[in-house]
Amino acid sequence: MVSWNGLTTLAPLALAASCVAASFLPPRPSMEVITADDVFSVNDFAGATLPPLNTTYYFDQLIDHNNPRLGTWKQRYWHTWEFYKPGGPIIITTPGEADNAPDFTGYLTNKSINGQIAQQEGGATIVLEHRYYGEAQPLGDLSVKNLRFNTIEQAIGDLEYFAKNVKLAMPGGSKVQPGKAPWVLVGGSYAGALTAWTMVAKPGLFAAGYASSAVVEAITDFWRYFEPIREHMPKNCSADVQAVINHFDTVVASGNQKAIAALKANFGMEGAKYIDDVASWLKSPIYAWQDLGPRTGAHSDFYNFCDTLEVKNGVSASAKGWGLDHALKAWGDWMKGTLKDACGGDTIDDCVSTHNGNLPWLTDTTAPNAGRSWNYMVCNEVGYLQNSAPAHYPSLVSRILHSEYDERVCRLMFPGKFPLWGPDIEAKVAKTNAIYHGWNVHVDHLFFANGDRDPWRDATVSAKGLNIRSTPQQRIMLSQGFHCTDMSTANAAADTTGTIRAVQIQALADMNRWLKEYRRQHGIHIQGVSDVEAEGEEVA
């Protein structure tokens, strides 16, 4: 087995769910699911039984915040007031680009940083489904025309309109608008970036924010996605992956069609018409890194892949790996098994192709489809195209893959939306950063929590070489965690480095201080707590 850097191990992850599927698309910058399935009943401070955490509420949300006359749609949310005291904060999060919002009800509880803040501050918690995901479909389907309101601006508008107009089911829930109560916005990954972007666009709306693994900098050519993986993965696995990729590129560059055909066959993709599609599918086991956390380990998908390359006859390779011959065959055998599960009855070319605009994964506008909804934002506002490193850097990804590969998908998936020769993604990405400040975000009462092993790290304010200063008003902390792992108390307990718990402790201390400031400014008092007691509150 490969070493796991001292982190604990638990259950394996499902490969098919984590990194591959017919019509392979890169992983989205998504929050970890935290469920409340083991919470059977909830009581308030007085002992009264509250509605189950999976109780679904509905809010009449505007279709277009720039034109309210277009009407409204029903937006789902989940809500509890287990820890609430009148005057306490309202802690809200959105799962972001996920079709399974009901699975995130653990963010209502103290299993999450959200619930930890609520428990400490006497707050209520909310999970709000994001437009264009799950049942949050303002216009019914995901046609190009109907996707026009799938923007960062509209998502920010949803948060503002909800906070100012919702009437919560809890006692006094019609009188907790911002200014009457402090609202705290929490999010991870894209939803973490949305937290920062909202606080930039709507100053004063939220009393405080917590942004985990927040991809605040929109980036067209995001080759650095793979850098934290290369830096932290087992050295033997990294060496052999790079050896296979270098061999792949050498064969392709030779133009020898017989050798290229043999290369395709080695990976079970002899039926693939285009070699760039083969190269793209070789990214799939590398993407499995994003599913890692303190509670996964040696039997996760990523490490199972590395074991396939590095364990031979029960013996693990040295840091140099076994070399090209063994790694090439082992990777090929792994890929053949993966394709068999992923492609089902489809031909290999139909399964892996990004060149045929008539394939269902490109043309189907049925909702929900998180991949299609997210790809629309990728093509229009954020980029995050994950391909090969520049020539002077080592690369885990074939160098025949560039941004143009993904831009073609934009043209085929959203016909008529972009010019024939590709969308001007660079200009769209630059506009996003100009509006929401990207790495240059400076907002009081905003806490950034990032992980050094997070593949999305270099789109956050903790990007290597950026060196943005952390301040008591805009805290920036970097744990030894992975993607959004600081949002879970279970991850903090499992993290042997102690750095995730340190992030949570500091966040709770900052929230305590920032919410005191907000209450003083707005004359808000927590029921049952005197001003003297409030000033002397201790953080657990």
mmCIF file of all heavy atoms in Angstrom, residues 8 13 24 31 62 66 75 78 92 139 186 193 201 205 261 284 317 329 340 360 398 411 422 435 445 480 520:
data_model
loop_
_atom_site.group_PDB
_atom_site.id
_atom_site.type_symbol
_atom_site.label_atom_id
_atom_site.label_comp_id
_atom_site.label_asym_id
_atom_site.label_seq_id
_atom_site.Cartn_x
_atom_site.Cartn_y
_atom_site.Cartn_z
ATOM 1 N N THR A 8 -5.783 9.494 8.967
ATOM 2 C CA THR A 8 -6.496 8.272 9.288
ATOM 3 C C THR A 8 -7.242 7.733 8.092
ATOM 4 O O THR A 8 -7.451 8.418 7.101
ATOM 5 C CB THR A 8 -7.505 8.540 10.426
ATOM 6 O OG1 THR A 8 -8.383 9.578 9.997
ATOM 7 C CG2 THR A 8 -6.807 8.957 11.687
ATOM 8 N N LEU A 13 -14.287 5.142 -1.323
ATOM 9 C CA LEU A 13 -15.239 5.955 -2.075
ATOM 10 C C LEU A 13 -15.614 5.224 -3.350
ATOM 11 O O LEU A 13 -14.855 4.420 -3.877
ATOM 12 C CB LEU A 13 -14.609 7.308 -2.425
ATOM 13 C CG LEU A 13 -14.219 8.162 -1.221
ATOM 14 C CD1 LEU A 13 -13.412 9.351 -1.696
ATOM 15 C CD2 LEU A 13 -15.452 8.622 -0.486
ATOM 16 N N PHE A 24 -17.589 12.324 -19.840
ATOM 17 C CA PHE A 24 -16.698 12.713 -18.750
ATOM 18 C C PHE A 24 -16.536 14.226 -18.688
ATOM 19 O O PHE A 24 -16.088 14.856 -19.632
ATOM 20 C CB PHE A 24 -15.346 12.038 -18.968
ATOM 21 C CG PHE A 24 -14.282 12.490 -18.026
ATOM 22 C CD1 PHE A 24 -14.441 12.318 -16.672
ATOM 23 C CD2 PHE A 24 -13.131 13.077 -18.497
ATOM 24 C CE1 PHE A 24 -13.448 12.735 -15.797
ATOM 25 C CE2 PHE A 24 -12.139 13.487 -17.635
ATOM 26 C CZ PHE A 24 -12.300 13.312 -16.281
ATOM 27 N N MET A 31 -18.999 21.466 -2.167
ATOM 28 C CA MET A 31 -18.900 21.212 -0.740
ATOM 29 C C MET A 31 -19.044 19.728 -0.446
ATOM 30 O O MET A 31 -19.672 18.983 -1.188
ATOM 31 C CB MET A 31 -20.017 21.969 0.009
ATOM 32 C CG MET A 31 -19.816 23.466 0.080
ATOM 33 S SD MET A 31 -21.326 24.372 0.579
ATOM 34 C CE MET A 31 -21.845 23.469 2.046
ATOM 35 N N LEU A 62 -37.539 35.402 -6.859
ATOM 36 C CA LEU A 62 -37.653 36.093 -8.146
ATOM 37 C C LEU A 62 -36.893 35.341 -9.235
ATOM 38 O O LEU A 62 -35.774 34.874 -9.012
ATOM 39 C CB LEU A 62 -37.098 37.511 -8.039
ATOM 40 C CG LEU A 62 -37.852 38.479 -7.113
ATOM 41 C CD1 LEU A 62 -37.120 39.814 -7.049
ATOM 42 C CD2 LEU A 62 -39.279 38.690 -7.601
ATOM 43 N N ASN A 66 -33.319 41.635 -11.804
ATOM 44 C CA ASN A 66 -33.285 42.896 -12.530
ATOM 45 C C ASN A 66 -34.618 43.240 -13.181
ATOM 46 O O ASN A 66 -34.790 44.344 -13.697
ATOM 47 C CB ASN A 66 -32.194 42.838 -13.621
ATOM 48 C CG ASN A 66 -30.819 42.664 -13.027
ATOM 49 O OD1 ASN A 66 -30.462 43.332 -12.063
ATOM 50 N ND2 ASN A 66 -30.029 41.753 -13.596
ATOM 51 N N GLN A 75 -38.465 28.174 -4.320
ATOM 52 C CA GLN A 75 -37.115 27.790 -3.912
ATOM 53 C C GLN A 75 -37.183 27.014 -2.598
ATOM 54 O O GLN A 75 -37.741 27.482 -1.606
ATOM 55 C CB GLN A 75 -36.233 29.029 -3.743
ATOM 56 C CG GLN A 75 -34.761 28.723 -3.485
ATOM 57 C CD GLN A 75 -33.896 29.968 -3.523
ATOM 58 O OE1 GLN A 75 -34.353 31.069 -3.201
ATOM 59 N NE2 GLN A 75 -32.636 29.820 -3.926
ATOM 60 N N TRP A 78 -34.240 24.401 4.003
ATOM 61 C CA TRP A 78 -34.377 23.598 5.223
ATOM 62 C C TRP A 78 -33.896 24.446 6.384
ATOM 63 O O TRP A 78 -32.988 25.266 6.238
ATOM 64 C CB TRP A 78 -33.569 22.302 5.087
ATOM 65 C CG TRP A 78 -34.083 21.435 3.977
ATOM 66 C CD1 TRP A 78 -34.963 20.398 4.079
ATOM 67 C CD2 TRP A 78 -33.801 21.559 2.578
ATOM 68 N NE1 TRP A 78 -35.248 19.862 2.844
ATOM 69 C CE2 TRP A 78 -34.548 20.560 1.897
ATOM 70 C CE3 TRP A 78 -32.996 22.412 1.820
ATOM 71 C CZ2 TRP A 78 -34.496 20.396 0.522
ATOM 72 C CZ3 TRP A 78 -32.955 22.254 0.438
ATOM 73 C CH2 TRP A 78 -33.691 21.264 -0.200
ATOM 74 N N ILE A 92 -26.828 30.952 7.301
ATOM 75 C CA ILE A 92 -27.370 30.404 6.058
ATOM 76 C C ILE A 92 -26.248 29.907 5.159
ATOM 77 O O ILE A 92 -25.179 30.519 5.086
ATOM 78 C CB ILE A 92 -28.233 31.458 5.320
ATOM 79 C CG1 ILE A 92 -28.870 30.852 4.063
ATOM 80 C CG2 ILE A 92 -27.435 32.704 4.983
ATOM 81 C CD1 ILE A 92 -29.896 31.747 3.398
ATOM 82 N N LEU A 139 -37.122 28.225 -14.771
ATOM 83 C CA LEU A 139 -37.850 28.221 -16.048
ATOM 84 C C LEU A 139 -38.087 26.819 -16.597
ATOM 85 O O LEU A 139 -38.416 26.662 -17.768
ATOM 86 C CB LEU A 139 -37.091 29.068 -17.074
ATOM 87 C CG LEU A 139 -36.988 30.559 -16.724
ATOM 88 C CD1 LEU A 139 -36.100 31.285 -17.707
ATOM 89 C CD2 LEU A 139 -38.373 31.204 -16.700
ATOM 90 N N VAL A 186 -22.364 31.277 5.084
ATOM 91 C CA VAL A 186 -21.329 30.247 5.118
ATOM 92 C C VAL A 186 -21.372 29.476 3.805
ATOM 93 O O VAL A 186 -22.449 29.159 3.291
ATOM 94 C CB VAL A 186 -21.553 29.278 6.298
ATOM 95 C CG1 VAL A 186 -20.486 28.183 6.302
ATOM 96 C CG2 VAL A 186 -21.557 30.034 7.624
ATOM 97 N N ALA A 193 -16.821 30.850 -2.552
ATOM 98 C CA ALA A 193 -16.577 32.031 -3.379
ATOM 99 C C ALA A 193 -17.815 32.913 -3.429
ATOM 100 O O ALA A 193 -17.724 34.149 -3.353
ATOM 101 C CB ALA A 193 -16.170 31.605 -4.785
ATOM 102 N N ALA A 201 -20.413 42.416 -3.215
ATOM 103 C CA ALA A 201 -21.482 43.058 -3.987
ATOM 104 C C ALA A 201 -22.548 43.691 -3.107
ATOM 105 O O ALA A 201 -23.196 44.662 -3.529
ATOM 106 C CB ALA A 201 -22.122 42.033 -4.921
ATOM 107 N N LEU A 205 -24.962 43.604 4.123
ATOM 108 C CA LEU A 205 -26.095 42.679 4.163
ATOM 109 C C LEU A 205 -25.859 41.579 5.187
ATOM 110 O O LEU A 205 -26.749 41.255 5.980
ATOM 111 C CB LEU A 205 -26.319 42.074 2.775
ATOM 112 C CG LEU A 205 -27.442 41.036 2.660
ATOM 113 C CD1 LEU A 205 -28.796 41.673 2.937
ATOM 114 C CD2 LEU A 205 -27.428 40.392 1.267
ATOM 115 N N ALA A 261 -2.406 3.857 -32.440
ATOM 116 C CA ALA A 261 -3.482 2.874 -32.308
ATOM 117 C C ALA A 261 -3.189 1.897 -31.173
ATOM 118 O O ALA A 261 -4.090 1.523 -30.419
ATOM 119 C CB ALA A 261 -3.656 2.129 -33.625
ATOM 120 N N SER A 284 -9.018 11.064 -15.314
ATOM 121 C CA SER A 284 -10.062 10.616 -14.388
ATOM 122 C C SER A 284 -9.532 10.077 -13.058
ATOM 123 O O SER A 284 -10.066 10.436 -12.004
ATOM 124 C CB SER A 284 -10.985 9.605 -15.063
ATOM 125 O OG SER A 284 -10.284 8.464 -15.491
ATOM 126 N N ALA A 317 6.683 -0.134 -4.858
ATOM 127 C CA ALA A 317 7.828 0.458 -5.548
ATOM 128 C C ALA A 317 8.524 1.482 -4.667
ATOM 129 O O ALA A 317 7.926 2.041 -3.738
ATOM 130 C CB ALA A 317 7.371 1.106 -6.847
ATOM 131 N N LYS A 329 1.107 -0.674 -18.569
ATOM 132 C CA LYS A 329 0.179 -1.807 -18.614
ATOM 133 C C LYS A 329 -0.817 -1.744 -17.464
ATOM 134 O O LYS A 329 -2.021 -1.975 -17.651
ATOM 135 C CB LYS A 329 0.941 -3.123 -18.561
ATOM 136 C CG LYS A 329 0.021 -4.347 -18.672
ATOM 137 C CD LYS A 329 0.776 -5.642 -18.611
ATOM 138 C CE LYS A 329 -0.170 -6.827 -18.838
ATOM 139 N NZ LYS A 329 -1.298 -6.853 -17.884
ATOM 140 N N LYS A 340 -15.520 -0.004 -18.781
ATOM 141 C CA LYS A 340 -16.577 -1.015 -18.820
ATOM 142 C C LYS A 340 -17.735 -0.609 -17.918
ATOM 143 O O LYS A 340 -18.913 -0.729 -18.281
ATOM 144 C CB LYS A 340 -16.013 -2.367 -18.383
ATOM 145 C CG LYS A 340 -17.029 -3.500 -18.451
ATOM 146 C CD LYS A 340 -16.391 -4.827 -18.046
ATOM 147 C CE LYS A 340 -17.415 -5.951 -18.100
ATOM 148 N NZ LYS A 340 -16.812 -7.253 -17.699
ATOM 149 N N PRO A 360 -26.255 12.751 -26.575
ATOM 150 C CA PRO A 360 -27.253 13.192 -25.585
ATOM 151 C C PRO A 360 -26.677 14.023 -24.446
ATOM 152 O O PRO A 360 -27.336 14.952 -23.965
ATOM 153 C CB PRO A 360 -27.836 11.868 -25.077
ATOM 154 C CG PRO A 360 -27.651 10.907 -26.205
ATOM 155 C CD PRO A 360 -26.348 11.298 -26.843
ATOM 156 N N SER A 398 -1.619 15.126 -19.993
ATOM 157 C CA SER A 398 -1.044 15.205 -21.335
ATOM 158 C C SER A 398 -0.979 16.648 -21.832
ATOM 159 O O SER A 398 -1.936 17.414 -21.690
ATOM 160 C CB SER A 398 -1.870 14.371 -22.310
ATOM 161 O OG SER A 398 -1.471 14.621 -23.645
ATOM 162 N N ARG A 411 -19.065 25.303 -26.962
ATOM 163 C CA ARG A 411 -19.767 25.590 -28.219
ATOM 164 C C ARG A 411 -20.805 24.516 -28.534
ATOM 165 O O ARG A 411 -21.908 24.818 -28.991
ATOM 166 C CB ARG A 411 -18.767 25.697 -29.371
ATOM 167 C CG ARG A 411 -17.816 26.863 -29.267
ATOM 168 C CD ARG A 411 -17.130 27.141 -30.598
ATOM 169 N NE ARG A 411 -16.413 25.998 -31.134
ATOM 170 C CZ ARG A 411 -15.160 25.674 -30.806
ATOM 171 N NH1 ARG A 411 -14.513 26.421 -29.918
ATOM 172 N NH2 ARG A 411 -14.568 24.638 -31.350
ATOM 173 N N GLY A 422 -15.013 29.574 -30.777
ATOM 174 C CA GLY A 422 -14.782 29.524 -29.336
ATOM 175 C C GLY A 422 -15.232 30.769 -28.601
ATOM 176 O O GLY A 422 -15.155 31.875 -29.129
ATOM 177 N N ILE A 435 -15.456 42.534 -11.238
ATOM 178 C CA ILE A 435 -16.658 42.845 -10.461
ATOM 179 C C ILE A 435 -16.521 42.407 -9.009
ATOM 180 O O ILE A 435 -16.871 43.154 -8.077
ATOM 181 C CB ILE A 435 -17.888 42.167 -11.097
ATOM 182 C CG1 ILE A 435 -18.178 42.770 -12.476
ATOM 183 C CG2 ILE A 435 -19.118 42.313 -10.191
ATOM 184 C CD1 ILE A 435 -19.247 42.016 -13.254
ATOM 185 N N HIS A 445 -14.957 41.162 8.424
ATOM 186 C CA HIS A 445 -15.788 40.103 9.016
ATOM 187 C C HIS A 445 -15.960 38.915 8.065
ATOM 188 O O HIS A 445 -17.004 38.280 8.053
ATOM 189 C CB HIS A 445 -17.151 40.637 9.462
ATOM 190 C CG HIS A 445 -17.069 41.693 10.515
ATOM 191 N ND1 HIS A 445 -18.179 42.306 11.030
ATOM 192 C CD2 HIS A 445 -16.012 42.252 11.155
ATOM 193 C CE1 HIS A 445 -17.814 43.193 11.949
ATOM 194 N NE2 HIS A 445 -16.491 43.175 12.036
ATOM 195 N N GLN A 480 -3.824 21.726 7.036
ATOM 196 C CA GLN A 480 -3.253 20.641 6.250
ATOM 197 C C GLN A 480 -4.358 19.763 5.663
ATOM 198 O O GLN A 480 -4.118 18.622 5.282
ATOM 199 C CB GLN A 480 -2.312 19.805 7.117
ATOM 200 C CG GLN A 480 -1.056 20.531 7.514
ATOM 201 C CD GLN A 480 -0.265 20.991 6.295
ATOM 202 O OE1 GLN A 480 0.087 20.187 5.439
ATOM 203 N NE2 GLN A 480 0.008 22.285 6.212
ATOM 204 N N ARG A 520 -23.779 45.514 18.725
ATOM 205 C CA ARG A 520 -23.612 46.855 19.298
ATOM 206 C C ARG A 520 -24.022 47.925 18.293
ATOM 207 O O ARG A 520 -24.708 48.888 18.630
ATOM 208 C CB ARG A 520 -22.151 47.065 19.725
ATOM 209 C CG ARG A 520 -21.772 46.405 21.036
ATOM 210 C CD ARG A 520 -20.483 46.997 21.586
ATOM 211 N NE ARG A 520 -19.357 46.770 20.693
ATOM 212 C CZ ARG A 520 -18.518 45.742 20.771
ATOM 213 N NH1 ARG A 520 -18.695 44.835 21.717
ATOM 214 N NH2 ARG A 520 -17.512 45.626 19.935
#
